[in-house]
Structures are given as C-alpha cells and as structure tokens.
C-alpha cells in the first residue's frame, strides 16, 4: 500500500509533452489575429469609423477604402475593426466576470457541502429558471443602447455553467485518496486547490470559457441586428448588418463583410477548444 507521500507524488507527475491537434492550432491562430486586429487595427487605419462622407457612399474597395464604404460613406475597414474591438472586449469581460465567481462558488460548494452546497445549488437553479435571452432583453430595456446592459445580462447567465461544472468535478477530486493524503500531510487549502483542483478542472474551464465567449459575441450581434442591443452609430457587426440590409442588391459585398467577421470569430472560438493529445 502506497504511503501518503507517494500518493501525492504520483498525482503531481505530469507528462512533459503535450500535442495540440491541427484544428486547435488553427483556432488559436485565428483568435490571435483577431485580437491583434481588434487592439491595433482601428489606430493603424487612422480613420474615424463614425465619420460620414455622402459623396463616397457604397463605394467599391479601393486604395483609399480597402473594403469600400457603407450607405453613409463611412469606411468599412475602420467600422469592422471597431466592431471587432467592441465584440471581443465584451466577450472577454463577460467571460472573466462570469468565470471567476462561478468557479470560486463551485469550489466552495464542493468543499463545504451541506447547507452551503444546497443554497448555492438552489440559487444557480433559480438563475437557470429564467431564460438567459429574456434576462438580457430585460436589462437592455432598462438601459436601451447601453453596452453595460449587454455585459451584465450575458455575465449573469454564463456564471452558472462554471459553477455547475466546477462543483461536479471538485466533488470527485476532493474525494480521491491523493487529496486525503495531502490533507494528512498538512497541506493548506490553497496548495490543495493549486496542486489537485486546478490541473483537473482547468481544461474544462477553458472549454466553457471559449464557448461562453462565442455565446457573448453571437448575442451582441443578434441583439444589435434586431435593434435591441447597441444602436447606431456605434460600429458593431449586428448593427452594421441591419444598416446594410436594404442595400444588399446594390452592394452585396458590403453586408457579407460583417457576416464573414462574425462567422470567422465563432469558428475560431469553437476550433480553439479542440482536444489535447498526450503521447
């Protein structure tokens, strides 16, 4: 029978080599490119995405306007990059503010059990009973056209996934003999979380975060398209689709641009959660 020290040593051993599948590398590469474009693109273009020029409406791509102009003569390149900045920023902020409390509450529920687990579980079930889209619409109605309403609504619906996953996985990990051995050796709660819980729940949390970011980007675009979320003249992909829809016969290439941006972003986030192969 292994001693407590041996059990802890065995669980800390990790393979030195990790191989990423091609699909995940493509997804991560696309995310990096999108992040670079969102962070540095608007400044590099040097044009105001809200500046109108009625003498240059619905123009084809040219040296002055690489992706053409919209129905009000605004530069499409600047507007697409500004839309990427808004969508990705909201997605990142929503994932972070939903993931941190959701994970901590899940660990607390599994760690303490009893009434703590039951109360937190009941609260999470109550949030799930309210459709996420309805919650976002309610907040958007309170503050029309405000980005914070979208952010708050999306965050309030995303944290439950982190909580439920973390609580389930933490229960299993905390019941393992290696964790019991670590407690007998006198390791504190922080060391137990860092050495046992984080390696086990980390990959799953990253997967939930990627899908949560995709949900946030899609929600912002969908609400903007139906004129419930961010409103004109803000450069946002869903809003741009609505503004360009009446001109799809005259300039179909314009409305395709925000659609392609949204599809590429969703594809990148979904590909980035591909499995990890360990030799």
């Amino acid at each position: 029978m292994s001693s407590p020290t041996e059990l802890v040593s065995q669980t800390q051993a990790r393979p030195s080599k990790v191989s990423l599948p091609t699909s995940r590398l493509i997804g991560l590469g696309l995310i990096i490119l999108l992040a670079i474009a969102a962070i540095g693109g608007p400044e590099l273009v040097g044009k105001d995405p809200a500046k109108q020029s009625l003498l240059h409406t619905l123009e084809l791509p040219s040296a002055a306007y690489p992706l053409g102009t919209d129905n009000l003569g605004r530069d499409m390149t600047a507007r697409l990059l500004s839309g990427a900045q808004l969508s990705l920023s909201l997605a990142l902020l929503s994932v972070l503010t939903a993931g941190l409390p959701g994970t901590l509450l899940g660990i607390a529920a599994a760690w303490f059990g009893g009434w703590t687990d039951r109360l937190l579980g009941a609260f999470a079930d109550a949030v799930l009973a309210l459709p996420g889209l309805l919650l976002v619409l309610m907040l958007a109605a309170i503050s029309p056209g405000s980005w914070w309403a979208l952010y708050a609504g999306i965050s309030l619906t995303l944290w439950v996934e982190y909580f439920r996953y973390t609580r389930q996985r933490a229960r299993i990990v905390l019941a393992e003999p290696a964790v019991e051995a670590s407690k007998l050796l006198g390791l504190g709660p922080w060391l137990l979380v860092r050495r046992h819980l984080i390696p086990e729940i980390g990959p799953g949390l990253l997967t939930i975060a990627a899908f949560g970011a995709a949900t946030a980007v899609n929600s912002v675009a969908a609400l903007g398209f139906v004129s419930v979320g961010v409103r004109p003249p803000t450069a946002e992909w869903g809003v741009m689709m609505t503004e360009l829809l009446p001109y799809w016969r005259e300039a179909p290439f314009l409305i395709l641009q925000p659609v392609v941006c949204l599809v590429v972003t969703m594809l990148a986030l979904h590909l980035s959660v591909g499995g990890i192969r360990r030799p």
Side-chain angles (χ1 to χ4, degrees), residues 174-227:
L174 292 174
E176 290 179 351
V179 177
E180 295 295 332
S182 297
K183 291 179 179 178
L184 292 175
L185 290 173
L187 297 183
W190 166 242
L191 285 176
L192 290 176
V193 170
R194 184 168 62 88
R195 292 177 183 269
H196 295 285
L197 283 179
I198 292 179
E200 291 294 331
I201 67 176
L205 290 177
L206 291 177
T207 299
I208 296 175
F211 281 112
T215 300
V217 171
N218 194 37
S219 298
V220 171
L223 292 171
F225 184 77
V226 296
S227 302

Side-chain angles (χ1 to χ4, degrees), residues 89-102 127 132 135-136 139 147-162 212 215-216 219:
S89 298
L90 275 176
L92 179 61
L93 190 60
S94 299
V95 166
L96 289 177
T97 53
L100 184 59
V127 173
L135 180 60
V136 175
L139 292 174
W147 67 268
W148 75 261
L150 294 176
Y151 152 69
I154 294 171
S155 298
L156 288 174
T157 57
L158 288 180
W159 75 270
V160 180
E161 294 297 327
Y162 295 92
T215 300
S219 298

Side-chain angles (χ1 to χ4, degrees), residues 50 52 70-72 74 79 86 144-146 223-236 238-244:
Q52 302 179 12
D70 67 1
N71 56 305
L72 295 176
R74 296 171 295 192
R79 290 185 65 76
L86 174 63
S146 175
L223 292 171
F225 184 77
V226 296
S227 302
V228 175
V230 180
R231 296 182 178 180
T234 304
E236 191 276 318
V239 173
M240 293 172 66
M241 293 178 204
T242 302
E243 292 179 326
L244 295 170

Side-chain angles (χ1 to χ4, degrees), residues 2 4 8 11 31 36 64 72 84 92 111-112 181 188 207 209 218-219 244:
S2 300
V8 174
T11 56
I31 290 176
I36 293 174
L72 295 176
L92 179 61
W111 192 286
F112 296 107
T207 299
N218 194 37
S219 298
L244 295 170

